[in-house]
Amino acid sequence: MQAIPFEQGLMLAAALFALGLIGVLTRRNVVFVLMCLEIMLNACGLAFVVSSARWQHADGQIMFLMILTLAAAEVAVGLGLIIQMFRKFQTVDINVLTQMRG
Amino acid sequence: METAITIQDLVPLLPVLVVTGVAVLAMLLIALKRNHTLIGATTIIGLGLALITAFLVLPFAGQQVTPLLMIDNFSLFFTIVILLAAGFIAVFSFPYLYHLKDEVEEYYLLLLIATIGALIMVSSNHFLSAFLGLETLSISLYAMIAYPLHSKEAVKFPVEASLKYLVLSAVSSALILFGIALLYAQTGSLQFTELAMTGGSVADGYFITALVLLFAGVGFKLSLAPFHMWTPDVYEGAPLPATMYLATVGKAAMMVLLLRFVVASQALSFHSVVVVIGCMAVLSILAGNLLALVQENLKRILAYSSIAHMGYLLIALIALDDASTRLGVEAISFYLIAYIVMSLGAFGVATVISSSEKEFDFVADYQGLFWREPWLALLLTAMLLSLAGIPLTVGFIGKFYVVLAGVEGSLWGLLLVLVVGSGISIYYYLRIVYRMLLQPQLDQAYREAGWDSIGSYAVLALLLALLLLLGVYPGFLMSIIEVVSVSI
């Protein structure tokens, strides 16, 4: 079986990462912002898995498991906050979060 | 590679284990009986116990515990500093939360878990543990910032602050992670030291991309310009004890981690990285000091001033480039301690007159404080003068140390910016002092000092004593730092 070249794997990860970053910067809906954050974190995970396949050891894959855990924790807190935000403002549009000025 | 944990490995880890144990104990106690005093006391006593064990394990320093953690004198020194700071913040939190009409006990749990993260960060020399520690700290902080969200009276925006912090902190974590992934792809190891060993064999451009991603992420966490946008909003929206935690323990742990990484990996041997850090230092000092001039909110002023202070620290970090000297490490260590003392004191004064029902965070609220609460006003004045770097205070010695490190590394341009920045900063610090001397406006009712605030006043007195003692006689701390900075 032909293995996927390591460079192409990293390219894919970088492209996903860029897409996620663009999404975080442009999306107005907080739920989509969280989803784009997830894409960024998973792009990092993909980069780790690809690299660990290159070096033929498990360090990168363990790192990926940790990233999964982190992403889950992050989203758990994030969704909790979004529920509070919806209760308070009746919307999940990020533009309402501009009460502080200075 | 032998990675099984033995009993000998567990001994140097005792401070972390004690804090973890206290966190579990606090959780069980909350399940049994909700009692604010009980949980608060458990937390403070537990952090004290961890502090004692940190002193007890000093003889076992210099041990690599699994490939992940390096417990040496330097990490134990900062373990002690962080435990002290976390304990002080717990003491300040107690009266602040006393009147919150909500469940308050879990706040201490979050504080303990964040402290575990900070302790792991200062002792890690592996990307995996560094990352886990960082996220443990950050995720606890999201919840700490949003804690009083049911409070109707509070004139602040915990949900807004917390969501902003969550999104930006997650983006910066992702940047750091991608940087680590690129480094790992080339070196095949997650140890900090690996980069220094394989640095020569790979094209520079590749490492520079990875390191710039890494430093951009770290810049977010340390609120360095141009990644500082979130800082004033999060500081303003968060409850005062959480702001205090973020400003002191959060920043200090990240800075120590950065220092360990830079020393171990020799990342500064790439000239472009030095240029990037230099630009961040200049921008932080100028942006922090200039934007603070127009602020009317004490928390926002302190936020911008923290941006500037982190910029000063970067100058000492760049001075490490000249690896023949330890002066940069010593300067950063001393300045971090000075910064923690000053910030705790300044936020502490605001905390003892505020409560979760009403926070006094506008400069106008402090008008006439000298006539109403002379001791508190004196304390706040001392802290502000120290932040400005006036002689006889610890802030002056810290700044002097940084300048010394800069002179050693011949960083004349950066030192010029530091001098200009410090000059500007005197204006906005003294403006607050001036407002405190004016006639009081008696319509603000500060929180009454009851039995629950005795601890806070004791901690404030201790901080003032430290500020003056280390400012007049810094030799003692300097000699300790000289000894511990050899080990990193």
Side-chain angles (χ1 to χ4, degrees), chain A residues 6 10 13-14 17 21 24 30 33-34 37 40-41 43-44 47-48 51-52 54-55 57-60 62-63 66-67 70 73-74 77-78 81-82 84-85 87-89 96-102, chain B residues 126-128 131-132 135 139 142-143 146 149-150 156-164 166-167 169-171 173-175 177-178 180-182 184-188 190 206 213 233 236-237 295 300 304:
Chain A
F6 151 78
L10 267 193
F17 189 83
L21 187 61
V24 170
V30 188
V33 171
L34 271 195
L37 283 175
M40 285 175 83
L41 289 173
C44 300
F48 273 110
S51 320
S52 96
R54 177 189 181 189
W55 295 103
H57 57 59
D59 284 15
I62 294 167
M63 196 78 181
M66 295 297 171
I67 295 173
L70 154 80
E74 197 118 19
V77 179
L81 282 172
I82 291 176
Q84 292 300 332
M85 177 188 170
R87 276 197 192 152
K88 200 165 177 180
F89 301 107
V96 299
L97 298 179
T98 48
Q99 293 180 316
M100 284 182 281
R101 294 273 179 199
Chain B
H126 190 281
F127 281 121
L128 183 59
F131 172 69
L132 279 183
E135 289 309 324
I139 293 179
Y142 306 153
L149 49 79
H150 295 306
K156 51 188 187 292
F157 322 101
V159 177
E160 178 181 346
S162 185
L163 264 175
K164 277 181 180 167
L166 184 142
V167 170
S169 176
V171 169
S173 297
L175 285 173
L177 269 178
F178 207 78
I180 298 173
L182 289 182
Y184 174 63
Q186 286 303 330
T187 62
L190 290 166
Y206 192 87
L213 277 173
D233 282 357
E236 187 189 347
Q295 301 301 326
R300 291 183 89 90
Y304 282 115

